[in-house]
Amino acid sequence: MAWIRRVRTASGATAVQIAESVGGRRRIVAHVGSAHTEAELGVLIERARELLEAPGQGELELGVEPVAVRTPLLGEAGPAPPVLFDVAVEPLRGRVAVAGPRVVATGSRVLYDVLVSVFTSLGFDALGDEVFRDLVIARLVEPTSILDTGRVLVDLGATPASEKTMRRTLLRAHQGGYRDQLAGLCFAHARAAGDVSLCLYDVTTLYFEAENEDELRRVGYSKERRVDPQIVVGLLVDRYGFPLEIGCYEGNRAETATILPIVRQFRNRHGLENLVVVADAGMPSAANLRDLDEAGFGFIVGSRVTKAPIDLESHFRWHGDAFTDGQIIDTITPRKGRNRDNDVALKAEPVWDREQHPASWRAVWAYSARRAARDNRTLTAQENRARAVVGGEQTARTPRFVTVTGDTTTLDEASLARARRLVGLKGYVTNLPVTVVTAPEVIANYHDLWHVEQSFRMSKTDLAARPMFVRTKDAIEAHLTIVFTALAVARAIQNRTGLAVRNVIRQLRPLRSATIAINGAAQTFPPELDPERRTLLDALTGKALTK
């Protein structure tokens, strides 16, 4: 007859074995394993019972159900005495029975622990607010309302705070200056990872599901042509897209009026002296660039193609409108209107100097054959649309290259010819001399702007920063602080893995940990990790996650 046997090992664990009696002598049939907790002991005993019940064991069918009792670890009440040959206790013969195991909860605990690890590695645990941390993690995994955030956290295997506690945390995040602390931690991380002397800036709008305006939520210019109340959000990131500063303004404020307050706040917060700001072509205005320059900032901004005939007047006079692929022309551009700084009688382009050209900025123009082909296709489509409108084949609002005089519409041939002449050109304006930044470096730095654009896309799609359902200024600011923090964590995840945060979450969320109740105790068991997921976890945490 076979039975389940428990013995205490030299390490203090409880070994579970299957033994049998043959001819009056006892023999160990199988060693099932060693348990260190009550739950592990229950699992091992259940496994041993399954082995005993396997066909071929010859057990009598007496119709008697085993009694489910709690089986304690051997020697748990005090220190274990010295043992010899790993056996110290001779258990009573008989069948040991425990209650069958039950799964009482499952959760994506691996994903939750990884996100907590990244959050902590950025130094954000210095806030000492676990509820705020969980709000950030929930925003990363499944952006939703405060009412639904608890469900997301439960699915991750975490214990959520109450809704009232979450709302109090949002208020504390704003009034407690969390964003200032987070901005300092983000700056420290970015400085340790690279150079923060050059930053990228852009703006976007976040709209509200509301009908009425107030002092902050105003109807203004919307790239999506929405008429809902909105706010204007400015974001400053390092050259790799890691967030450094965020600010929100009235929905009807001009985008050009947001850049100076943000960069001033960033410089003053960290005591920086030399800072170069890169912004797209929608940011520059004569007053904007003047204010940035007078405030001591370097800048690189995009220039509108319509300024090319003035900036490249000398080139067109001496070389015509012919350009070679990759050609770069380093010249100057008037700060406002026209001036005499660029003498078209001279064949050589002037080299910008602050003292010699006080009414001009440095301008760099580059020609790309690939861009020219794309611009030509766009112009052809616009020309065809204009001809269709002029010919009465289409009825639409006045498109480009159509001139309306009374009831007569004509094709603007002169404007079309000028546009064809400038295809393939892209301009950049800066107040940095060639001795500090070469023309190719100006172009390369400007092209890094896609990082800030990507960060905005992440905040709008992956983090669902819009639409907003809060209405008070404090709640809006707290919401932006959550999004700003989540964006920093998402950027860190992307930099470590090379994958989008949504891809990482899709891979890790299905890994479910299970909490099993057995033998009067409950224990959580991690999922099995395949080599690909383990490599991903190593990249995120810097070490293998084995427990």
Side-chain angles (χ1 to χ4, degrees):
M1 177 180 177
W3 71 90
I4 299 174
R5 180 170 180 262
R6 293 181 301 143
V7 295
R8 189 174 68 232
T9 66
S11 63
T14 297
V16 177
Q17 302 170 340
I18 297 177
E20 67 175 357
S21 180
V22 179
R25 301 186 64 182
R26 184 177 58 199
R27 183 172 71 89
I28 304 300
V29 177
H31 176 75
V32 182
S34 297
H36 295 82
T37 67
E38 300 286 0
E40 290 177 352
L41 178 62
V43 172
L44 292 177
I45 291 176
E46 180 68 15
R47 175 60 180 157
R49 186 164 63 186
E50 291 174 356
L51 293 174
L52 284 175
E53 292 174 351
Q57 293 295 331
E59 182 174 302
L60 294 176
E61 295 291 343
L62 301 179
V64 179
E65 291 293 331
V67 179
V69 298
R70 181 177 184 273
T71 303
L73 291 170
L74 293 177
E76 63 179 357
V83 297
L84 185 64
F85 301 123
D86 239 12
V87 177
V89 177
E90 177 62 38
L92 295 176
R93 292 189 180 187
R95 182 145 179 180
V96 179
V98 297
R102 293 178 298 108
V103 177
V104 295
T106 65
S108 302
R109 189 73 194 190
V110 171
L111 174 59
Y112 177 81
D113 289 342
V114 164
L115 294 178
V116 169
S117 173
V118 177
F119 183 94
T120 302
S121 69
L122 294 173
F124 295 164
D125 57 326
L127 296 173
D129 193 331
E130 294 184 357
V131 179
F132 177 82
R133 178 200 66 195
D134 285 351
L135 289 173
V136 172
I137 289 174
R139 173 65 50 178
L140 282 161
V141 175
E142 186 180 333
T144 185
S145 65
I146 286 290
L147 286 173
D148 200 33
T149 296
R151 175 192 60 81
V152 177
L153 292 172
V154 168
D155 184 70
L156 293 174
T159 303
S162 66
E163 178 196 344
K164 289 185 177 179
T165 300
M166 291 181 187
R167 294 192 183 279
R168 285 195 298 268
T169 299
L170 289 176
L171 183 63
R172 183 170 61 251
H174 176 61
Q175 296 180 348
Y178 280 20
R179 192 186 299 175
D180 292 336
Q181 298 180 59
L182 291 164
L185 294 168
C186 286
F187 175 78
H189 173 80
R191 184 170 57 180
D195 180 23
V196 291
S197 62
L198 184 141
C199 298
L200 316 175
Y201 180 79
D202 203 355
V203 297
T204 191
T205 55
L206 301 180
Y207 67 89
F208 293 78
E209 295 288 354
E211 295 181 1
N212 300 322
E213 297 179 278
D214 53 35
E215 293 183 358
L216 180 62
R217 301 178 299 169
R218 312 283 296 191
V219 175
Y221 172 74
S222 171
K223 295 177 181 178
E224 294 85 12
R225 298 182 179 178
R226 304 187 67 92
V227 293
D228 303 288
Q230 64 181 23
I231 59 172
V232 176
V233 177
L235 180 65
L236 191 71
V237 305
D238 70 2
R239 65 173 69 235
Y240 306 110
F242 190 80
L244 299 172
E245 202 82 35
I246 193 171
C248 99
Y249 306 93
E250 302 83 1
N252 59 354
R253 178 178 288 204
E255 294 181 354
T256 55
T258 65
I259 183 170
L260 198 57
I262 287 282
V263 296
R264 272 181 173 162
Q265 177 175 290
F266 177 72
R267 184 181 65 178
N268 296 338
R269 186 193 302 279
H270 306 295
L272 301 176
E273 293 184 1
N274 299 317
L275 180 64
V276 178
V277 183
V278 182
D280 69 8
M283 287 291 101
S285 66
N288 237 5
L289 299 186
R290 182 197 64 234
D291 291 344
L292 284 170
D293 185 66
E294 290 178 352
F297 295 104
F299 62 77
I300 300 174
V301 298
S303 180
R304 302 184 186 279
V305 178
T306 53
K307 298 192 69 175
I310 299 174
D311 298 355
L312 301 177
E313 189 174 3
S314 295
H315 176 87
F316 287 131
R317 174 178 178 178
W318 293 96
H319 305 283
D321 55 5
F323 296 92
T324 59
D325 189 25
Q327 183 176 354
I328 296 176
I329 301 173
D330 200 337
T331 183
I332 61 177
T333 183
R335 296 189 181 189
K336 180 184 282 188
R338 287 176 174 268
N339 59 47
R340 298 180 179 276
D341 284 352
N342 191 348
D343 187 355
V344 296
L346 300 177
K347 187 174 183 179
E349 296 290 341
V351 178
W352 182 77
D353 181 88
R354 183 182 296 275
E355 301 298 329
Q356 296 180 14
H357 308 107
S360 299
W361 300 118
R362 180 185 175 195
V364 175
W365 287 89
Y367 178 85
S368 166
R370 185 175 180 180
R371 186 186 298 114
R374 183 176 65 248
D375 291 348
N376 270 318
R377 287 195 298 271
T378 301
L379 284 175
T380 298
Q382 292 174 339
E383 180 183 357
N384 292 338
R385 189 179 304 114
R387 291 187 182 279
V389 171
V390 170
E393 300 172 14
Q394 290 184 4
T395 56
R397 64 178 185 176
T398 306
R400 188 182 181 188
F401 304 128
V402 171
T403 301
V404 179
T405 306
D407 296 332
T408 305
T409 58
T410 57
L411 184 67
D412 191 344
E413 301 277 4
S415 295
L416 179 60
R418 283 196 300 269
R420 291 284 187 191
R421 191 183 190 195
L422 302 177
V423 296
L425 289 172
K426 175 66 177 176
Y428 314 86
V429 179
T430 181
N431 63 344
L432 303 174
V434 68
T435 55
V436 175
V437 180
T438 65
E441 289 173 338
V442 169
I443 298 172
N445 288 329
Y446 181 86
H447 286 179
D448 282 338
L449 271 176
W450 70 271
H451 287 296
V452 68
E453 294 168 356
Q454 184 187 55
S455 291
F456 268 132
R457 285 196 299 271
M458 291 169 64
S459 67
K460 290 181 177 180
T461 56
D462 296 338
L463 306 180
R466 64 177 190 184
M468 288 194 190
F469 299 96
V470 293
R471 60 182 181 83
T472 65
K473 180 175 174 59
D474 287 356
I476 292 170
E477 293 283 6
H479 175 78
L480 287 179
T481 300
I482 293 286
V483 171
F484 177 77
T485 311
L487 179 59
V489 175
R491 272 295 182 178
I493 290 173
Q494 181 172 305
N495 293 340
R496 295 179 188 184
T497 64
L499 302 174
V501 64
R502 195 55 44 196
N503 188 341
V504 172
I505 291 173
R506 275 199 300 266
Q507 292 192 50
L508 297 185
R509 195 172 188 182
L511 300 178
R512 310 287 290 184
S513 299
T515 300
I516 298 177
I518 185 171
N519 194 31
Q523 185 164 337
T524 300
F525 295 89
E528 185 68 26
L529 300 177
D530 58 77
E532 185 177 352
R533 302 299 179 275
R534 188 174 295 277
T535 300
L536 180 60
L537 292 174
D538 288 347
L540 288 167
T541 63
K543 58 181 179 180
L545 205 145
T546 58
K547 293 186 179 180

